Amino acid sequence: MKSILTDRPALRADVEKVAEVAGYLWQKGWAERNGGNITVNVTAWIDEELRSLPPISGPKPIGQKLPHLAGCWFYCKGTQKRMRDLARDPMGNGSIIRITDDCAHYEIVADQLVAPTSELPSHLAVHDYLLAKGSPYRASLHTHPIELVALTHSKKWLAKDAATKMLWSMIPETKAFCPRGLGIVPYMMPSSQELAEATIRTINQDYDVVMWEKHGVFAVDTDIMSAFDQVDVLNKAAQIYIASRNMGFEPEGMTDAQMRQLSKAFGLPK
Ligand SMILES: [Zn+2]
């Protein structure tokens, strides 16, 4: 069967990057069953021929009007689909959608009729916010990194920037490669509008990675690999913290002076 990715190397590369990341999420144990979501704005790779293709679904309501998504196209994981399956077959476990002119509906333009994740409205709301702000970020990731989720079961790490400071202090690369730290959103019902709004508010407070208490992370970046990398370095730092605790001591952490020196040397935002 001819795929809409055929003869579109840039679009194919972006979708294959999603598949690669989905494989990592599974290997890391962060994507049990159908856990996690990925949505990537692929508008830059959509040509005129693709724009003129008829959709394979009727228009479906997003549930809200997102004015900055006019003319936008997204790759998104399918509802009830597994990351480990998406890793092998991204077009069988995800779909490409376009936002209709009223900015309140989407249509599927893909190889197979794969309905997008139920989390689509919240992911699209974040993309709408990013575009409104003029952000270059085009990818959003939700996943369940074990050690980071474990941290949120203690009130100690839910105070603003308490976890950020500890994680940054475990190994210099954490601050260098996740320079805005870890925003915290208190527990809210999964998939709720309330959670989507709190996530956007927290990203707006200058975070790229937001922790949902006792649930998982939501990360945004220029592409899906970079969003994954930010979560990966944070979770690595959490693992180092736990390894120290398992050796029977509280890790010292880098000093405030060492962290300031790092920010200066790398020109970091915080
Ligand atoms: Zn989740």
Side-chain angles (χ1 to χ4, degrees):
M1 190 183 71
K2 191 169 185 279
S3 166
I4 61 168
L5 303 184
T6 305
D7 301 328
R8 293 192 174 91
L11 180 62
R12 175 182 290 279
D14 228 12
V15 171
E16 284 177 352
K17 215 185 286 178
V18 172
E20 184 179 344
V21 167
Y24 298 152
L25 298 177
W26 166 249
Q27 287 160 16
K28 286 186 161 289
W30 298 355
E32 71 291 343
R33 200 173 181 276
N34 62 328
N37 275 302
I38 292 176
T39 306
V40 178
N41 185 337
V42 294
T43 313
W45 321 124
I46 303 301
D47 53 48
E48 280 313 308
E49 190 194 348
L50 207 44
R51 284 188 187 280
S52 65
L53 272 185
I56 62 170
S57 81
K60 305 238 165 56
I62 299 170
Q64 54 189 319
K65 195 175 164 123
L66 299 168
H68 302 95
L69 299 190
C72 281
W73 292 58
F74 294 89
Y75 172 86
C76 42
K77 177 172 163 278
T79 185
Q80 296 296 323
K81 300 296 187 189
R82 294 171 170 83
M83 287 292 181
R84 63 179 188 263
D85 293 332
L86 195 155
R88 298 183 270 107
D89 179 13
M91 294 304 279
N93 293 278
S95 55
I96 290 179
I97 61 165
R98 69 172 168 224
I99 308 301
T100 57
D101 291 342
D102 67 1
C103 296
H105 296 77
Y106 67 88
E107 297 167 328
I108 301 175
V109 185
D111 304 346
Q112 302 171 39
L113 194 62
V114 178
T117 162
S118 59
E119 296 284 351
L120 186 69
S122 50
H123 279 249
L124 290 182
V126 170
H127 283 279
D128 185 72
Y129 157 82
L130 291 170
L131 289 170
K133 217 176 74 164
S135 165
Y137 287 5
R138 293 291 176 267
S140 59
L141 165 70
H142 165 57
T143 188
H144 305 156
I146 301 164
E147 290 81 2
L148 288 177
V149 176
L151 276 184
T152 71
H153 285 263
S154 165
K155 289 271 177 291
K156 176 180 178 183
W157 303 117
L158 296 175
K160 186 172 163 60
D161 291 330
T164 296
K165 192 172 178 215
M166 179 276 280
L167 295 166
W168 277 351
S169 78
M170 288 297 105
I171 171 173
E173 275 81 350
T174 313
K175 192 175 192 188
F177 298 123
C178 184
R180 294 187 161 79
L182 184 63
I184 303 283
V185 170
Y187 183 84
M188 290 176 197
M189 188 64 192
S191 307
S192 63
Q193 180 70 22
E194 189 193 16
L195 178 57
E197 285 167 9
T199 302
I200 291 171
R201 270 199 312 276
T202 310
I203 293 172
N204 194 44
Q205 288 162 10
D206 203 19
Y207 294 99
D208 292 340
V209 188
V210 172
M211 189 77 225
W212 293 345
E213 179 185 347
K214 303 184 182 91
H215 181 172
V217 295
F218 192 98
V220 290
D221 208 323
T222 49
D223 69 0
I224 196 62
M225 199 62 79
S226 306
F228 167 77
D229 281 337
Q230 290 214 51
V231 180
D232 192 29
V233 296
L234 286 174
N235 199 66
K236 170 72 171 271
Q239 288 175 319
I240 292 169
Y241 175 78
I242 291 162
S244 295
R245 296 294 304 252
N246 283 344
M247 290 172 191
F249 57 87
E250 180 73 22
E252 265 181 21
M254 294 157 54
T255 64
D256 289 349
Q258 287 166 339
M259 292 215 270
R260 276 195 302 273
Q261 183 191 35
L262 198 66
S263 291
K264 208 173 155 207
F266 283 79
L268 304 176
K270 291 184 182 173

